[in-house]
């Protein structure tokens, strides 16, 4: 079984991405002809669903916005219902390069359960990806937490560019967390605690920064608060699950 | 019996009556009605017999009897609100499950309709 002809579903969670989703779908289908591209329209108010359908994607429409994690759950459910046990997650805004999907899948072939496309894995660290100090602190916290408590040492824990193998789907598909941040962090935490192999794969991403600088500071503070809240709730869950055993 | 006394009794009856009415009209589910009625039931004796509040307060060591009333009310409200938020979370996650199931079903129906159209047009 090789990467290029085995069945794979590429799930693209999209919210109001009518302008970019068509090109993303086309790019993915060109990069990997054997893949089925599934766009999960997460309650868009624009023509995202039509643009995705016209580009040849299977379109799943949430009647209202549920979040990226919920979109992944829907996409994974579709894949499993159609007998496919490998799923790649790609953003609908075009920041993830379609060509790298194959690289992620190759890591699955070599035994990884989850391959995470990572912005920071690049040793040169080039590209103009820069974050505020607060946000960087939040990311450091997340990363350290996963290293200590889930035994995963990953450079970019919040990346939304990932490939999931069959064993990973068994662990996360039905319980994919829907809350903000949980959809990236908690999934890794679940995978780490289930003993899955998670590998980082260096990928060049086009990063898009939104909002004005002051707006960003506010959001950074909010981000750190959310990080702390998530870690506390994960710690609570850990003692609960451990106690149950 | 003072006017205030009468007012308190009337107020209790009004709340109890409107909860019962909502319940009968089917606008309030039984389990929430029970909570409201329980609140009425705990406070009603004090409305009927204010001296009860004084004796209970002094027995508990509360210097100012009305504070006991506020305390009871606050505890009741907190209980109601915490119940509502947990119920809301549950309802929300069920709604999300339904929305996801709907998305999957809609795609399946669309696909089958397309397949059928193709068959009939041939």
């Amino acid at each position: 079984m090789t990467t290029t002809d085995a069945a794979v579903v590429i799930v693209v969670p999209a919210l109001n991405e009518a302008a970019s989703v068509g090109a993303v779908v086309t790019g993915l289908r060109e990069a990997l002809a054997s893949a089925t591209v599934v766009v999960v329209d997460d309650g868009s108010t624009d023509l995202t669903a039509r643009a995705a359908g016209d580009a040849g994607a299977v379109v799943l429409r949430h009647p209202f916005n549920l979040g990226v994690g919920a979109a992944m759950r829907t996409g994974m459910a579709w894949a499993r219902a159609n007998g496919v046990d490998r799923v790649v997650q790609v953003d609908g805004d075009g920041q993830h390069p379609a060509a790298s999907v194959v690289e992620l899948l190759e890591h699955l072939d070599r035994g990884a359960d989850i391959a995470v496309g990572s912005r920071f894995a690049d040793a040169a660290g080039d590209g103009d990806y820069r974050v505020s100090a607060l946000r960087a602190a939040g990311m450091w916290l997340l990363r350290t937490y996963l290293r200590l408590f889930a035994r995963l040492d990953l450079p970019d824990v919040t990346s939304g560019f990932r490939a999931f193998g069959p064993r990973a789907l068994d662990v996360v598909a039905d319980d994919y967390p829907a809350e903000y941040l949980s959809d990236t962090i908690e999934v890794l935490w679940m995978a780490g605690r289930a003993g899955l192999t998670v590998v980082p794969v260096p990928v060049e991403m086009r990063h898009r920064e939104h909002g004005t600088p002051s707006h960003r500071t506010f959001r950074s503070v909010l981000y750190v608060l959310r990080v702390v809240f998530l870690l506390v709730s994960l710690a609570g869950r850990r003692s609960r699950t451990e106690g149950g055993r | 019996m003072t006017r205030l006394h009468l007012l308190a009794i009337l107020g209790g009856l009004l709340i109890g009556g409107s909860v019962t009415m909502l319940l009968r009209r089917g606008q309030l589910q039984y389990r929430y009605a029970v909570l409201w009625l329980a609140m009425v039931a705990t406070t009603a004796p004090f409305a009927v017999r204010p001296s009860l509040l004084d004796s209970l307060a002094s027995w508990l060591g509360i210097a100012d009897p009305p504070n006991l009333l506020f305390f009871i009310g606050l505890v009741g409200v907190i209980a109601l609100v915490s119940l509502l938020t947990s119920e809301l979370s549950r309802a929300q996650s069920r709604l999300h499950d339904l929305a996801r199931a709907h998305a999957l079903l809609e795609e399946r129906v669309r696909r089958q309709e397309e397949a059928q159209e193709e068959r009939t047009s041939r």
Side-chain angles (χ1 to χ4, degrees), chain A residues 59 61 66 73-74 78, chain B residues 96 100 103 106-107 110-111:
Chain A
V59 180
R61 274 184 298 193
L66 299 177
R73 213 193 279 194
T74 306
W78 188 92
Chain B
H96 283 198
R100 275 197 298 272
E106 189 200 45
E107 191 270 338
R110 216 184 318 138
R111 203 161 20 144

Side-chain angles (χ1 to χ4, degrees), chain B residues 23-57:
Chain B
L23 192 63
R24 284 187 52 179
R25 280 200 205 142
Q27 288 172 344
L28 189 65
Q29 273 184 25
Y30 187 69
R31 47 186 174 167
Y32 305 113
V34 164
L35 267 158
W36 282 108
L37 293 177
M39 257 181 93
V40 170
T42 22
T43 45
F46 303 121
V48 180
R49 243 181 173 300
S51 60
L52 220 67
L53 188 68
D54 298 333
S55 45
L56 188 64

